[in-house]
Amino acid sequence: MSDESPYTLQRDLEEDERHAFWADIVADRVESRDPDEPIVVKGGISPSGVPHLGNVNEIMRGYYVAEVLRERGHEVRQVFTADDRDPLRKLPRTLCDLEGNLVDLGEVDAGALGRNLGAPYTDIPDPFGCCDSYGDHFSTIIQDSADAVDVPIDLVSNTEMYENGDLEEVTRFVLEHRDRAREVLSAYQDKVDEDYVPFNPICEECGKITETVTSVDLEGETPTVEYECTDMDAGDQTIDGCGHEGTATLREGKMPWRFEWPAQWQVLGVDFEPFGKDHAEGSWPSGQDVARNVFEIEPPVPMVYEWFTLEGQPFSSSEGNVILVSDVLELLEPEVLRYFFAKDPSKARDFSIERLDQLVDEFDRLEAIYFDEIEADEDEAAFAERVYPLVVEEPREERIRLPYTFAAVLGMFDDPDLREDVARKEGHIPDDAPEWAVEDALARVEKARNWARRTANEFDYELKRTEIPDHDFDAATEDALAELADFIEAGHEPDEIQGEIYETAKRHDVDVGDFFGAGYRLFFDEDQGPKLGPFLAKVDREFVVARLRRER
RNA sequence: GGGCCGGUAGCUCAGUUUGGCAGAGCGUCUGGCUUUUAACCAGACGGUCGCGUGUUCAAAUCGCGCCCGGCCCGCCA
C-alpha cells in the first residue's frame, strides 16, 4: 500500500461512503481492513504538564469511532498511552494539582524539577508529593478527565511497557535492522547519519536520557547497548550530560518518537489513531513509512484533527489561557462537552467560556431535533438522529432543559424552592414532569451560576439576603421605597409591581432610572439587575418588604 | 521559500464530495407582554460565501492564480 493521506475526513468520498457523522466514515475505513478483534483505537499524550481541554481531542475523537464500531457489533479496546518515558525538556511555568488548581512553578520545589531536566517523567518525583512520579501525577489527571466524560480508556504507561518487556522485542528488532531504520528515517530527518542508533538509553549515573550509543550488542542473552552520556539539545538550551560511559538493556531507555510511535502500533495492534495537525506533515509520513518498511506492519487508519482555541487564543498554561475538563464540568453537563467533540474534527473551533450559552443552546437544539420537538433541515436532522444517542448516556424524552441563560437568571436566587417555583411559573417545567427530570433540570442552575460568576457577566447578580448593602438615598427616594413596600405588602402580581415602580418614582419626582438603581442597590448591591418587578414578586414577600424599608 | 489544512451574516457554525433560490441559532433592531431596566412571544434587518479568473444554461460548491490565518518542512514529542 502506498502513502496514505492522514486527512481521512477531507478526502473525496464515493456515494456509499458518505455519512452524517464523521466517525462513521472512519469506522468504514477501519472495517474495510478486516481487523482482528478486539479492534484497537489509540490516543496518547506526553504527561508533560497541565492536561487541558485541547488534549481531550485525543480521548474523545477516538471514543466516537470506538463507539460506532461497538454499535456495529465489534469488540473495541480504546487504549491511551501516557508517553511518560519522554524526558522533561524544559521547566513548565505552570502546573496543577489533582483537583485542577493551577499552581505556579515557584510554589513547588522548582529546584528538584530543574535537576531532573532530561530525565523521563516517570523518574521525576511528583512536585505535589501525591503521586509516584511527575508523569504519574499528570497521567492521573488524564484518567480523571476521561472518567469525567464517561469514556472508558485503557491507560497504558509507556514506561511500564519498556520496563515489563512489552516493547523489548520490537526495540531489539529495530536495532537489529538499524541500517534499514536509518535509511527510512533519513528521508525525513537530516541528522540521521551512519552513527545514528534508534535507541536512547537512560544514564545509570545521572538518570537522563542520552542520545549517544557507541555500540550495540544483540548477541547475549540480554541485549544491551553501550553509551556515553552526552549533552542534549532541548529547544534553545542544552541539557548537560554527565559524561558517564555505561551499558543499558533495552528496557532501560526508549526509542526516539519516530520509531516509538510505530512500535506502539505494532505492540498494541492499533487499528485507528487520531492525532493533531502538528503530526500530519511530520510524524505521520515518517511513521507510516517506518511501519511498513522497518516493522513491516500496516499503520493504523489515521485522522487529523484541528486544534481549537480558548477564547480565541491558543491553549497555554503558562499564559493562563487554559481550562481543564474539571473546570468545564462546573459550567455545563458532561453531555454538552461530549457534543462539542462530536463536531467535525477537521474544522478549527473556538471554545468560548464567555459565550458558553451558545454551545449549550446548540446542544439543547440537537436534543430537541432528535425528539422531533422542533423542525430542522435534512442534514441537521440526520446529524441529530445519529449523534445524539452517542452523546448522552441514555436518551430520555421526558428530560427537561432550562435554557442556559434562564438558568443563569435563576442562579440569582439561592433558595432551591424559589428556583423551582419560578421555573414552573415561567413554563419551563411541565406540571407532570417526573421528579428526576425536575432535579436534573435544576442542576443546570448551579452550572449556569458558576458560569455567571466566572465570567462576571450580566447574570452575575446575587440576591444579598443576609445583610443590607451600603446605600445612601435622598428623602424622596426613601419615601418612594416605603410606599413601594406598602404596595408589595398588600400583595400584587409581578407586572403590577413593575408598573408600580414607575408610578411610585413619578409620584415622588424621583428619576425612574435612579429608582430602579436604588432597588438594585438594596437587593444586589449593583447598579443594574434583572427585571425588577417580576423578580421582587418572586422573592418571599416578607423579606422584600423589610428590605425596601431598610429594616434588614 | 515548499507542502498541508482552514476562510460562509456582527458572533458561533451548517451547507462544499453529487454545481440548481444563501441557511440556522445567538446577537441587533422593531413591536407585544397595559408604562425605557436584560427571563417570555412575534416580526424585521443582516451576505462581494477571502479576492480574481476560467468552465457552465447555472458556481459557496469544479479548475487555475492570488490574499489571510494555522500546522509542518531543524530538534523533540
Side-chain angles (χ1 to χ4, degrees):
Chain A
M1 195 190 239
S2 60
D3 282 1
E4 186 168 13
S5 163
Y7 300 95
T8 300
L9 302 177
Q10 285 112 316
R11 301 180 321 149
D12 288 353
L13 299 177
E14 299 300 318
E15 175 105 34
D16 58 353
E17 293 178 311
R18 290 181 198 122
H19 290 285
F21 187 33
W22 55 268
D24 279 300
I25 297 170
V26 177
D28 282 357
R29 304 237 2 240
V30 174
E31 274 186 324
S32 73
R33 297 157 47 123
D34 201 16
D36 293 336
E37 307 269 332
I39 293 175
V40 175
V41 169
K42 183 179 117 53
I45 59 170
S46 183
S48 55
V50 182
H52 55 68
L53 194 63
N55 301 132
V56 177
N57 265 314
E58 204 68 27
I59 295 172
M60 289 301 301
R61 302 304 190 177
Y63 170 73
Y64 281 114
V65 174
E67 278 297 285
V68 164
L69 287 166
R70 286 185 185 113
E71 200 177 52
R72 296 184 186 186
H74 299 284
E75 191 190 333
V76 183
R77 177 179 180 225
Q78 184 176 358
V79 180
F80 195 90
T81 55
D83 296 326
D84 50 8
R85 185 151 266 198
D86 298 350
L88 177 69
R89 307 184 86 247
K90 63 172 188 199
L91 290 182
R93 275 166 51 192
T94 310
L95 302 164
C96 68
D97 64 21
L98 290 185
E99 278 71 51
N101 303 304
L102 296 185
V103 171
D104 199 80
L105 179 63
E107 294 174 52
V108 300
D109 189 350
L113 278 184
R115 285 190 293 279
N116 279 295
L117 279 172
Y121 292 118
T122 40
D123 288 344
I124 301 171
D126 180 5
F128 296 88
C130 50
C131 301
D132 289 345
S133 69
Y134 184 100
D136 212 47
H137 181 91
F138 292 109
S139 295
T140 300
I141 298 174
I142 293 165
Q143 178 71 62
D144 290 348
S145 301
D147 292 347
V149 288
D150 206 19
V151 171
I153 57 167
D154 205 338
L155 188 66
V156 172
S157 157
N158 210 35
T159 291
E160 243 170 70
M161 284 206 292
Y162 279 109
E163 285 179 350
N164 68 18
D166 285 353
L167 285 167
E168 188 169 19
E169 189 46 45
V170 69
T171 307
R172 183 197 166 93
F173 184 91
V174 79
L175 284 174
E176 206 166 345
H177 299 85
R178 56 190 182 276
D179 286 344
R180 213 200 305 169
R182 279 196 279 258
E183 195 188 327
V184 171
L185 192 64
S186 63
Y188 303 92
Q189 292 192 335
D190 294 342
K191 76 160 186 181
V192 176
D193 56 22
E194 52 199 34
D195 295 329
Y196 182 89
V197 176
F199 186 72
N200 304 132
I202 299 169
C203 175
E204 61 188 337
E205 198 64 31
C206 69
K208 286 169 188 161
I209 289 188
T210 129
E211 292 174 336
T212 308
V213 170
T214 49
S215 72
V216 177
D217 177 9
L218 303 176
E219 300 307 314
E221 200 165 303
T222 305
T224 56
V225 299
E226 281 174 35
Y227 63 87
E228 185 185 342
C229 184
T230 52
D231 295 354
M232 176 170 74
D233 287 335
D236 11 334
Q237 53 177 341
T238 301
I239 298 172
D240 295 335
C242 70
H244 177 74
E245 292 179 25
T247 305
T249 70
L250 304 191
R251 300 184 183 202
E252 297 165 334
K254 76 186 290 290
M255 284 173 271
W257 168 248
R258 299 284 178 128
F259 293 100
E260 191 176 74
W261 199 24
Q264 290 175 333
W265 294 338
Q266 175 169 352
V267 170
L268 297 167
V270 180
D271 299 295
F272 167 65
E273 179 153 5
F275 44 85
K277 62 173 176 177
D278 53 333
H279 287 307
E281 309 297 331
S283 304
W284 170 255
S286 76
Q288 64 172 334
D289 200 348
V290 166
R292 292 199 178 98
N293 299 312
V294 178
F295 295 129
E296 297 178 320
I297 58 164
E298 195 50 32
V301 172
M303 184 189 87
V304 174
Y305 58 80
E306 273 285 334
W307 290 351
F308 57 92
T309 50
L310 176 62
E311 234 65 73
Q313 298 297 122
F315 280 86
S316 162
S317 48
S318 59
E319 305 282 330
N321 199 53
V322 72
I323 187 166
L324 284 80
V325 169
S326 51
D327 296 324
V328 174
L329 293 181
E330 286 174 8
L331 309 177
L332 42 68
E333 297 90 349
E335 53 267 39
V336 181
L337 185 56
R338 286 161 60 102
Y339 162 70
F340 182 75
F341 287 99
K343 297 165 77 154
D344 186 353
S346 56
K347 298 287 178 103
R349 281 168 212 289
D350 185 45
F351 189 86
S352 172
I353 301 166
E354 208 69 43
R355 293 189 300 267
L356 206 60
D357 55 314
Q358 287 194 4
L359 178 64
V360 181
D361 286 349
E362 246 181 69
F363 168 82
D364 289 353
R365 182 178 164 84
L366 180 87
E367 188 171 64
I369 292 170
Y370 178 80
F371 288 118
D372 291 324
E373 291 160 5
I374 55 174
E375 296 285 316
D377 66 40
E378 208 180 320
D379 292 326
E380 205 180 0
F383 184 78
E385 184 64 32
R386 180 73 186 106
V387 171
Y388 179 73
L390 298 171
V391 167
V392 297
E393 202 175 329
E394 182 195 354
R396 292 194 287 189
E397 195 158 10
E398 308 81 22
R399 95 278 164 258
I400 301 162
R401 303 284 180 191
L402 302 178
Y404 195 70
T405 52
F406 177 70
V409 171
L410 294 186
M412 297 175 196
F413 307 112
D414 51 4
D415 179 0
D417 293 337
L418 188 56
R419 289 174 177 177
E420 180 173 343
D421 198 39
V422 174
R424 283 184 188 277
K425 279 184 188 160
E426 293 292 329
H428 288 296
I429 298 178
D431 293 339
D432 59 351
E435 202 171 315
W436 63 262
V438 176
E439 204 173 301
D440 288 358
L442 289 168
R444 180 175 278 181
V445 176
E446 274 311 310
K447 311 275 188 194
R449 174 84 196 107
N450 292 336
W451 171 66
R453 279 209 188 99
R454 183 180 173 120
T455 58
N457 65 7
E458 69 265 39
F459 301 100
D460 185 21
Y461 299 113
E462 186 180 358
L463 182 59
K464 303 288 186 200
R465 196 175 258 281
T466 49
E467 61 184 41
I468 189 162
D470 289 339
H471 57 278
D472 180 23
F473 304 138
D474 59 27
T477 303
E478 290 185 355
D479 289 348
L481 287 170
E483 216 171 285
L484 183 63
D486 294 344
F487 183 85
I488 290 174
E489 190 171 36
H492 287 91
E493 292 301 303
D495 51 343
E496 292 175 326
I497 295 173
Q498 180 73 10
E500 183 61 16
I501 296 172
Y502 287 93
E503 293 305 323
T504 312
K506 285 178 193 164
R507 275 201 302 278
H508 292 269
D509 209 19
V510 175
D511 178 78
V512 171
D514 290 348
F515 195 51
F516 273 98
Y520 294 129
R521 179 63 55 202
L522 281 179
F523 289 95
F524 302 106
D525 200 14
E526 299 274 353
D527 299 323
Q528 292 198 322
K531 194 166 182 177
L532 201 52
F535 184 88
L536 295 183
K538 283 156 189 161
V539 181
D540 60 293
R541 195 184 300 167
E542 194 193 351
F543 165 74
V544 170
V545 169
R547 178 58 57 87
L548 287 172
R549 290 172 178 157
R550 286 154 289 125
E551 291 166 359
R552 68 176 168 104

